[in-house]
Every structure is written in C-alpha cells, then in structure tokens.
Amino acid sequence: MKQIKSYCIVLKSSVIREIDKSVVLFSPEIGIFNVIAFGACKSKNRFGGKLEPFSVIYADLSVKTVGTENEYCFKEIHLHEFFEHLTSSFETVMTAQFFCEILLKNNTAGEDRKLFALLYQALKLLNERSDSSLRILNNFLIRYLAYTGFYAPITECAACGRSFERDETVFLQRRDYQPYCSDCAEGDCIPLEKNLTEYINKILLLRVRESIEIPINKNDERKLKVCLIAQLKDISGFHYKTLESFR
C-alpha cells in the first residue's frame, strides 16, 4: 500500500449512506480522484468542515490498487485554506461551481499542475474580488482553453498564414475554433473584434492576478463571455448545469 501526501482542492462533496461522504478532489500530483470519508457526517468526526467544496486541504492518503483502479483513503487531513468570502454572493458561488464542473467533466491529460494552479488562483481571486467575477470567469476560460490547445496568441490566419492587421476582425470557425481572416472564413463563425483579440493576447502573456487588472468595458466582457462559453460547449460536447443559474 502506497502513501501520498498532496495539496488538494475539494471539487465536490456529497453525503452517502447517511453518515459518510463521497469527496472528489483535485491534486496536482494525482489529478481528479474520489475518496470516501467514512463517518464524515457524524456529529463528532475528525474531518470537521474540511471537506466542503472549494476548500484547499493537505491530505495524507493511503493508496491501494484493486485491479486497474486505485482506491484512496484519508490517513490525515489538514485544512490549508478556506475561502470564507467566496460564498458571500450567489454570483461568486456559481462561478466557482462552474470552474469545478468544467474540470470534473473534461479530462485534460498532462495539465494537472497548470490547471490546479489556475483553479486555486481563480478561487482565491473570487474570494478577494467578488465584484470582478465576470472578469475572473473570462480569464479562467481563456487560460483553460489555451491549456487544452486553443487560444495560443491570435496573430495569423490558420488557413493562409497572413498576419492579422491591428484593426482586423478575426473569425473563429465553429468547426475547429481556429482563427481565420475574412477571406478564408466560411460556415458558422464567431467574430472577434480587434479589442477582444488584443485582450485575449494580453491575458495569455500575464499571470492571473496581473491579467484581471487589464481594462475592458462591460459590453466587451459580456461579448467575450458568450464567445468563450459557446466555444467550451462546442469543443467539450457537454451540457453544464451551472450555466442554467448564470444571468
């Protein structure tokens, strides 16, 4: 039986068998995995409030291999960080849940460390900057899509290779979500006006905390959100329940 110690973010927690909890964790070392916390719902238990969604814990885990699957069990658990202000508004809670739902539904192999850092920073910013939830959402989606192979800096047409002009509208074709110029674009496309293209390119050059300081007007923020969510849904093919609660 192996032993692993790792920081983890609680993505989801649900009660099973009345006194136990099924907990889905995200670790930079392991990725996304499930642990049964036996007795976690008893009035006196060793877990306290450490297994609530969005909590960051430091877990000492034992790992047993059964067939081709690993079974994880808590040996020790310490609360590393709890974002107490994150649940103070409906908007921040739903945004955080959306981030977790994206990761739960999409297996992005080989990017666990990057995505763990992205989720951690996004949750931390939501906790500190509830008034910037839309900007944090857009930043998260741009980076997530970049990590999954989209949104490298948008500089040239995917078909003809011509560099985009500074004031040019770029077209994302919904069949592959690559950037095309107006001459090469065909079929169903999402237009990205120059200010949105510039904004995306700037985001990808900066750290998360720095990038949310880049100015963008509310109208462009809303346009970008619609574009990014459409791309996420098209690429993944999933329905996201959290989106039903977004305005």
Side-chain angles (χ1 to χ4, degrees), residues 1-2 4 62-73:
M1 187 176 291
K2 295 189 297 183
I4 295 175
S62 59
V63 189
K64 181 171 68 172
T65 303
V66 180
T68 59
E69 301 292 324
N70 287 331
E71 291 185 356
Y72 298 89
C73 181

Side-chain angles (χ1 to χ4, degrees), residues 43-107:
S43 56
K44 292 183 179 179
N45 68 80
R46 63 193 177 104
F47 300 107
K50 299 168 188 172
L51 299 179
E52 294 304 307
F54 322 132
S55 297
V56 184
I57 61 173
Y58 184 70
D60 186 349
L61 301 154
S62 59
V63 189
K64 181 171 68 172
T65 303
V66 180
T68 59
E69 301 292 324
N70 287 331
E71 291 185 356
Y72 298 89
C73 181
F74 288 118
K75 294 189 71 179
E76 277 190 66
I77 178 173
H78 304 281
L79 183 63
H80 175 70
E81 196 162 0
F82 177 69
F83 303 116
E84 58 184 1
H85 301 302
L86 195 150
T87 55
S88 62
S89 82
F90 177 79
E91 193 74 20
T92 53
V93 170
M94 297 313 299
T95 303
Q97 286 186 357
F98 184 41
F99 294 161
C100 293
E101 188 180 7
I102 290 170
L103 295 177
L104 285 165
K105 287 186 172 178
N106 299 275
N107 181 19

Side-chain angles (χ1 to χ4, degrees), residues 12-28:
K12 187 177 180 181
S13 180
S14 54
V15 177
I16 57 171
R17 297 189 293 266
E18 296 187 0
I19 62 169
D20 305 325
K21 274 189 175 182
S22 174
V23 186
V24 183
L25 301 175
F26 183 32
S27 156

Side-chain angles (χ1 to χ4, degrees), residues 131-150:
D131 60 325
S132 302
S133 59
L134 178 53
R135 191 168 301 187
I136 296 166
L137 169 64
N138 284 342
N139 270 256
F140 180 94
L141 289 174
I142 290 168
R143 293 172 193 279
Y144 177 80
L145 291 167
Y147 294 159
T148 54
F150 299 87

Side-chain angles (χ1 to χ4, degrees), residues 143 201-208 210-211 214:
R143 293 172 193 279
N201 286 341
K202 287 177 183 176
I203 293 297
L204 294 173
L205 293 174
L206 298 172
R207 300 179 184 223
V208 178
E210 296 169 336
S211 64
I214 298 174

